[in-house]
């Protein structure tokens, strides 16, 4: 498989995951949009607007926005999110539907952008009690990417010294105390979402859970959007 073919497949997977998320959110009541997400201080609606923002800005405009915010990434993210929030939840979802097939991105490998979609989708679904429908191939690709480096979240650091094994797919990496669970639960735990540690088993879970706790006063927002 050529690198270009692999990139196309990863982008196609991101498009599929966006479409499935849009379908999941199409019947939400207005009150549900204000539900706190797993993503720091953002609500479900704000997290979806963040996903729209991430798929709507290229490198040059991103750098200009970060520079304008004096490298305050929370301010940068809040400004970009506000651009795509809309006046109502229906407008927020409409804006997201418009970027479902977007390949616009700032920087980094496509695996990172697929991870952006998958992780924030679960940030939204989990507190709403919506079952995850992420494809196993897409989840496995993101798990492998997260385990190999700290890109925008300290995922490699979180997994260090542990043996991670998926119970529903081929993902397995590392040496040390075992942490076992679904590929998506491992992805979310590596991304710092401690709520997913409840779905994991093994002697290494306690160590991973401790690493998921953010320092006081911090959030989990992505710096790239």
């Amino acid at each position: 498989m050529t690198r270009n073919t692999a990139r196309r497949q990863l982008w196609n997977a991101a498009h599929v995951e966006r479409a499935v998320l849009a379908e999941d959110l199409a019947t939400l009541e207005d009150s549900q949009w204000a539900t706190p997400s797993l993503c720091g201080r953002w609500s479900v609606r704000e997290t979806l607007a963040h996903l729209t923002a991430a798929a709507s800005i290229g490198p040059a405009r991103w750098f200009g926005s970060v520079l304008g915010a004096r490298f305050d990434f929370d301010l940068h993210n809040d400004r970009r999110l506000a651009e795509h929030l809309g006046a109502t939840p229906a407008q927020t979802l409409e804006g997201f539907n418009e970027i479902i097939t977007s390949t616009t991105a700032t920087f980094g490998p496509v695996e990172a952008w697929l991870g952006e979609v998958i992780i924030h989708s679960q940030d939204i679904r989990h507190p709403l009690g919506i079952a995850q429908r992420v494809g196993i191939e897409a989840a496995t690709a993101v798990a492998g990417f997260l385990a190999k480096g700290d890109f925008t979240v300290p995922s490699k650091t979180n997994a260090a010294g542990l043996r991670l094994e998926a119970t529903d797919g081929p993902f397995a990496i590392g040496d040390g105390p075992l942490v076992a669970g679904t590929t998506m639960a491992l992805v979310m735990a590596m991304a710092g979402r401690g709520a997913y540690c409840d779905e994991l088993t093994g002697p290494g879970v306690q160590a991973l859970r401790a690493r998921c706790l953010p320092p006081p006063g911090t959030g989990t927002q992505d710096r790239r959007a």
Side-chain angles (χ1 to χ4, degrees), residues 32-35 43-50 85-89 92:
Q32 290 178 288
W33 287 96
T35 302
S43 67
V44 161
R45 182 181 171 198
E46 290 167 332
T47 303
L48 190 70
H50 171 75
L85 190 63
T88 65
T92 308

Side-chain angles (χ1 to χ4, degrees), residues 1-17 103 110-111 114 137-138 141:
M1 182 187 300
T2 67
R3 181 58 184 165
N4 285 339
T5 299
R7 283 176 57 85
R8 284 195 299 270
Q9 290 181 346
L10 290 167
W11 274 122
N12 286 341
H15 300 160
V16 168
E17 298 304 331
T103 56
V110 182
E111 290 89 342
L114 177 58
E137 290 185 2

Side-chain angles (χ1 to χ4, degrees), residues 114-137:
L114 177 58
E116 167 96 355
V117 176
I118 285 177
I119 292 168
H120 286 321
S121 291
Q122 293 308 111
D123 285 337
I124 289 169
R125 287 189 181 107
H126 189 277
L128 292 171
I130 299 174
Q132 72 94 2
R133 297 195 285 159
V134 177
I136 189 64
E137 290 185 2

Side-chain angles (χ1 to χ4, degrees), residues 172-195:
I173 198 167
D175 296 301
L178 176 66
V179 178
T182 65
T183 310
M184 273 309 306
L186 293 170
V187 164
M188 296 301 287
M190 282 191 285
R193 275 54 168 181

